Amino acid sequence: MDVKEILQKLANAHGISGHEQNVRQIMEKEIKPYVDEIRTDKMGNLIATKHGKGPSIMLAAHMDEIGLMVKYIDDKGFLRFVKIGGWFDQTLHSQRVIVHAENGPLHGVIGSKPPHVMKEEDRKNPVKAEDMFIDIGAKNKEEAEKLGVKIGTPISLDRDFVPLLNGLYTCKAFDNRAGVALLIETMRQISEMKVDATIYAVGTVQEEVGLKGARTSAFGIDPDVAIATDVTIPGDHPGIEKKDSALEIGKGPVITVVDAGGRGLMADQNVVRWLSETAEENEIPYQLDVGDGGTTDATAIHLTKEGIPSSTISVPVRYIHSPVEVISIEDLKACATLIAKAAVNVSKYF
């Protein structure tokens, strides 16, 4: 498979936080030809290792996507849910979903009280997730339960990978199947290069609910340096100003300097220098990011044990944490090439 096909396969797969097994199986199959050893740790992180004699590099891509979970089934068979990860409630309303019941997946739709029967003041306010429900077509609670729906059943959005114009694609879960795809592509490129470093390519779990898998896997690996691969917000579409994000789709990899206003990651300056100088030496266009919003697995990794020098390389993706994220495949490929080239010269910096 080429990187677009791998991304499509990953993005179409379903795996909310704590239920990443489908994504892990795909990652393991696709990365296996390029590494020496693969294991799954107690937390569920996939750790694929390519052994070397040089410095050790941890590459981390979280496998989970934001989703929902059943919290209650009413007598008429409608499902109430909690949000798993950071949703903007308005993006959920009227979406199709897949309920991953024990007896097999069930299609459903997210509904709420119709505006026709709302009071005038209620129509002026967005519908909150707590006032929504999922309709799977069940006649009653007993039918839903017989189909394998229970408290704790995971739910994901029902959106498929499709092309837009000019090399752009849209799907759910590019956050962070893009990071997983570029990690696989990175290891493919590294397998064709002379790289002395030991590489740990890690698919982490539960990033969207607290960077949990990154914390435990980094503790076990204790690498010399780490790069998280993720997505980030560009400022190239209506509704956002360049002063809030100067990043653009199509302008190449994004190297994090600071995220979450320093409350998350303050990237190691030598890591930023290593990555930016590697990009310049190989004529790979890149972007630097100082952000005030979210953070990535690198935040948990860089605080592990005595501290691990870390940064993040991100693919700019529009509309993240929605069912209609948008990506450029060329940006993803450039991210993979930058990390592979950096693995070649890591001994100059660490």
Side-chain angles (χ1 to χ4, degrees):
M1 288 189 181
D2 66 19
V3 68
K4 181 180 77 69
E5 293 171 322
I6 290 172
L7 177 63
Q8 179 173 357
K9 189 174 182 180
L10 287 164
N12 283 342
H14 298 271
I16 75 166
S17 303
H19 296 266
E20 298 91 350
Q21 56 270 21
N22 292 335
V23 183
R24 184 169 56 240
Q25 290 172 3
I26 295 169
M27 181 178 172
E28 180 171 2
K29 178 182 177 181
E30 297 300 332
I31 208 166
K32 187 175 182 179
Y34 314 125
V35 298
D36 300 313
E37 175 189 347
I38 298 178
R39 66 183 178 90
T40 300
D41 68 13
K42 293 179 181 178
M43 192 77 174
N45 302 297
L46 182 74
I47 302 173
T49 307
K50 183 174 177 59
H51 296 294
K53 298 179 180 179
S56 58
I57 306 170
M58 178 179 178
L59 306 177
H62 73 87
M63 298 182 292
D64 57 321
E65 65 190 283
I66 59 174
L68 311 169
M69 184 171 284
V70 176
K71 65 175 290 188
Y72 175 69
I73 309 169
D74 73 17
D75 291 341
K76 294 183 177 180
F78 294 100
L79 315 180
R80 298 286 182 164
F81 58 85
V82 296
K83 297 178 289 183
I84 303 296
W87 283 102
F88 181 48
D89 289 8
Q90 292 176 56
T91 63
L92 285 170
H93 194 274
S94 303
Q95 293 287 341
R96 281 194 347 198
V97 298
I98 297 178
V99 180
H100 300 278
E102 287 187 342
N103 298 344
L106 302 169
H107 291 281
V109 295
I110 299 178
S112 70
K113 181 192 294 186
H116 311 75
V117 297
M118 289 183 181
K119 296 179 181 179
E120 185 63 33
E121 57 269 24
D122 291 337
R123 292 181 195 169
K124 298 175 183 178
N125 300 315
V127 181
K128 297 179 181 179
E130 64 193 51
D131 296 321
M132 300 177 195
F133 51 82
I134 294 172
D135 183 353
I136 59 171
K139 294 178 181 178
N140 50 44
K141 180 179 181 179
E142 289 72 24
E143 184 177 18
E145 290 178 334
K146 284 181 181 178
L147 292 168
V149 182
K150 62 181 184 178
I151 307 305
T153 295
I155 304 161
S156 56
L157 273 290
D158 187 8
R159 291 279 185 158
D160 290 332
F161 183 98
V162 295
L164 303 179
L165 298 177
N166 298 309
L168 302 184
Y169 295 84
T170 183
C171 194
K172 67 169 185 65
F174 285 155
D175 181 7
N176 183 39
R177 306 297 158 65
V180 177
L182 81 85
L183 194 155
I184 294 167
E185 172 63 12
T186 297
M187 296 309 295
R188 185 195 68 77
Q189 292 188 31
I190 285 174
S191 71
E192 299 174 352
M193 299 174 173
K194 180 173 173 53
V195 175
D196 294 327
T198 292
I199 311 292
Y200 298 100
V202 184
T204 66
V205 298
Q206 300 185 43
E207 188 267 2
E208 297 288 3
V209 290
L211 317 178
K212 297 174 184 177
R215 190 182 308 276
T216 59
S217 58
F219 188 94
I221 294 168
D222 194 18
D224 294 314
V225 62
I227 300 169
T229 64
D230 213 310
V231 301
T232 193
I233 300 167
D236 60 356
H237 60 82
I240 186 169
E241 298 182 45
K242 284 296 183 72
K243 68 179 179 62
D244 297 316
S245 176
L247 308 174
E248 295 184 40
I249 280 186
K251 294 294 180 68
V254 177
I255 301 170
T256 296
V257 179
V258 168
D259 64 25
R263 301 178 301 279
L265 176 71
M266 298 197 74
D268 181 89
Q269 294 181 33
N270 196 37
V271 176
V272 174
R273 185 169 68 90
W274 167 44
L275 297 175
S276 58
E277 289 182 357
T278 300
E280 291 162 7
E281 289 166 5
N282 291 277
E283 299 182 341
I284 301 170
Y286 69 97
Q287 308 173 77
L288 295 175
D289 186 34
V290 173
D292 194 36
T295 191
T296 71
D297 274 343
T299 290
I301 295 168
H302 92 288
L303 292 175
T304 299
K305 291 191 173 179
E306 296 177 341
I308 297 168
S310 305
S311 185
T312 303
I313 290 183
S314 297
V315 186
V317 170
R318 294 174 183 159
Y319 327 124
I320 64 173
H321 283 213
S322 85
V324 291
E325 298 171 344
V326 172
I327 196 172
S328 162
I329 293 292
E330 294 307 312
D331 283 336
L332 190 153
K333 291 178 181 178
C335 287
T337 299
L338 173 54
I339 299 172
K341 295 290 187 181
V344 172
N345 67 4
V346 64
S347 296
K348 289 170 55 179
Y349 297 86
F350 297 96

